[in-house]
Amino acid sequence: MDLKSLEMFQHLSNSLHFGKTAKVYHVSPSTLSRTIQRMEDSLGTELLHRDNRKVVLTDAGQKFQTYAMQQLEQWQLLKFSLEEKQTELKGKLHIYCSVTAAYSHLPPLLDKFRKQNPLVEIMLTTGDASDAFEQLERQSVDIAIAAQPENLARIFHFEQVAQIPLSIIAPNMICKVQQLLQENVVSWANIPIILAEHGPARKRFEYWYRKKQQGKPNIYATVSGHEALVSMVALGCGVGIVPQVVVENSPVKDRVQYLPNAGEIEPFALGICCLNQNKQQPLVKAFLDALL
């Protein structure tokens, strides 16, 4: 069994979706299915039970999942031990983070890493922070800066670097939103809400709003990325829940305000993430070591 087949099985055992895994490894679902079938023929047992609705690991599949993970980790350790003889690390390290994190948290991490590894080339991609784990899973990047999800899949390694507080923000300008917020008793069901499409901040909003017990929220729009959310609030479109660090680094921060007494919102953990199977790769390990 070649390494790519083991990697595909490992991914499939977590995604339990032939289409998603096939897309990550740039093969057709039928090609992936034949790869799994060859594994099952070689082992003489069924690894996955599949029908038209779902894919489930068999008992043998769960055992083989552990085996595949161990083999992939051993391969990375071997590569690392063979490359340890290099006096200086070289190559490209691909990093993914939000635009805000590129300003607020990445620079000090990169400063230390680059002092220790001056020959490593940094390749930075920015985007919605909630897409970080998908970028890692696709192996489009080596390292990501992201908020820790409620349920972190076993394929990921996460090291916390900060606690990020969240707040409810509203526009400063005179507008309908501000008028609604100035009522003696605020009717939150009437307040237009700007929400992130997905991610920890959206979950925090759902918990926060449920405590209000005022029916369904009035969702004005959903956006990709907290930076866009701050801009829409600044334009008077509604209120939103957002990490304070995003507001502090926003060019429109003077056009929004924090809402006092809006209720407590649990902060989330921000950290450095990578695939578990890649954490011993020389460049990834060097970056993680730079956190110490």
Side-chain angles (χ1 to χ4, degrees):
M1 297 180 189
D2 59 274
L3 287 169
K4 185 175 181 181
S5 296
L6 289 175
E7 288 175 350
M8 288 194 291
F9 175 82
Q10 181 66 18
H11 188 282
L12 180 60
S13 68
N14 286 287
S15 72
L16 297 177
H17 193 289
F18 275 79
K20 290 181 180 178
T21 296
K23 185 177 180 180
V24 169
Y25 287 94
H26 307 290
V27 298
S28 66
S30 59
T31 298
L32 174 61
S33 183
R34 286 195 296 271
T35 299
I36 301 302
Q37 183 64 57
R38 285 195 296 271
M39 287 182 170
E40 291 176 330
D41 291 343
S42 178
L43 292 168
T45 186
E46 187 181 47
L47 299 175
L48 295 159
H49 175 71
R50 42 212 185 265
D51 56 33
N52 293 331
R53 292 182 300 172
K54 61 182 179 180
V55 177
V56 179
L57 281 172
T58 63
D59 290 341
Q62 292 176 5
K63 292 178 181 178
F64 189 71
Q65 181 188 35
T66 301
Y67 168 82
M69 183 184 297
Q70 291 172 345
Q71 292 303 305
L72 291 170
E73 288 180 353
Q74 287 298 315
W75 171 250
Q76 295 299 337
L77 287 171
L78 174 62
K79 287 178 63 179
F80 174 66
S81 66
L82 294 176
E83 293 169 359
E84 270 187 325
K85 296 178 181 178
Q86 295 182 9
T87 55
E88 288 187 289
L89 290 177
K90 299 178 182 179
K92 296 179 180 180
L93 183 67
H94 295 260
I95 300 175
Y96 181 90
C97 66
S98 68
V99 172
T100 297
Y103 296 140
S104 61
H105 290 86
L106 184 59
L109 297 174
L110 275 185
D111 285 345
K112 186 175 180 180
F113 175 79
R114 290 180 67 82
K115 285 179 182 178
Q116 297 171 353
N117 306 281
L119 300 181
V120 175
E121 186 177 356
I122 302 297
M123 310 297 290
L124 177 62
T125 301
T126 58
D128 187 351
S130 60
D131 292 332
F133 291 97
E134 183 178 351
Q135 292 284 328
L136 288 170
E137 193 171 355
R138 289 181 180 177
Q139 300 198 49
S140 300
V141 298
D142 304 305
I143 291 284
I145 300 177
Q148 184 176 19
E150 289 186 0
N151 299 302
L152 184 68
R154 290 194 304 165
I155 62 172
F156 298 114
H157 174 74
F158 182 91
E159 290 196 22
Q160 182 175 326
V161 295
Q163 280 278 329
I164 303 298
L166 295 99
S167 292
I168 302 293
I169 59 171
N172 266 334
M173 63 191 297
I174 298 175
C175 60
K176 182 180 178 180
V177 175
Q178 193 177 86
Q179 292 172 355
L180 290 170
L181 290 169
Q182 289 175 347
E183 293 179 354
N184 290 332
V185 178
V186 176
S187 176
W188 284 100
N190 295 325
I191 305 293
I193 304 292
I194 315 297
L195 276 184
E197 288 181 344
H198 46 83
R202 182 169 183 133
K203 289 288 187 182
R204 298 297 195 278
F205 167 80
E206 292 170 356
Y207 297 149
W208 171 83
Y209 189 83
R210 197 176 299 135
K211 292 178 181 179
K212 299 292 182 186
Q213 297 183 340
Q214 294 197 23
K216 293 183 178 180
N218 175 19
I219 307 301
Y220 178 86
T222 58
V223 297
S224 176
H226 294 123
E227 293 83 5
L229 192 155
V230 175
S231 295
M232 290 197 70
V233 172
L235 291 170
C237 297
V239 303
I241 181 172
V242 67
Q244 291 180 14
V245 66
V246 177
V247 179
E248 292 161 6
N249 286 276
S250 173
V252 294
K253 64 181 180 180
D254 294 333
R255 300 183 62 177
V256 301
Q257 59 178 312
Y258 295 112
L259 287 183
N261 306 316
E264 292 186 3
I265 304 169
E266 182 185 358
F268 61 70
L270 187 74
I272 304 300
C273 327
C274 67
L275 288 174
N276 263 317
Q277 68 186 51
N278 293 340
K279 66 182 180 181
Q280 293 299 332
Q281 288 184 359
L283 296 183
V284 175
K285 185 176 185 302
F287 193 89
L288 295 175
D289 288 346
L291 302 178
L292 303 177

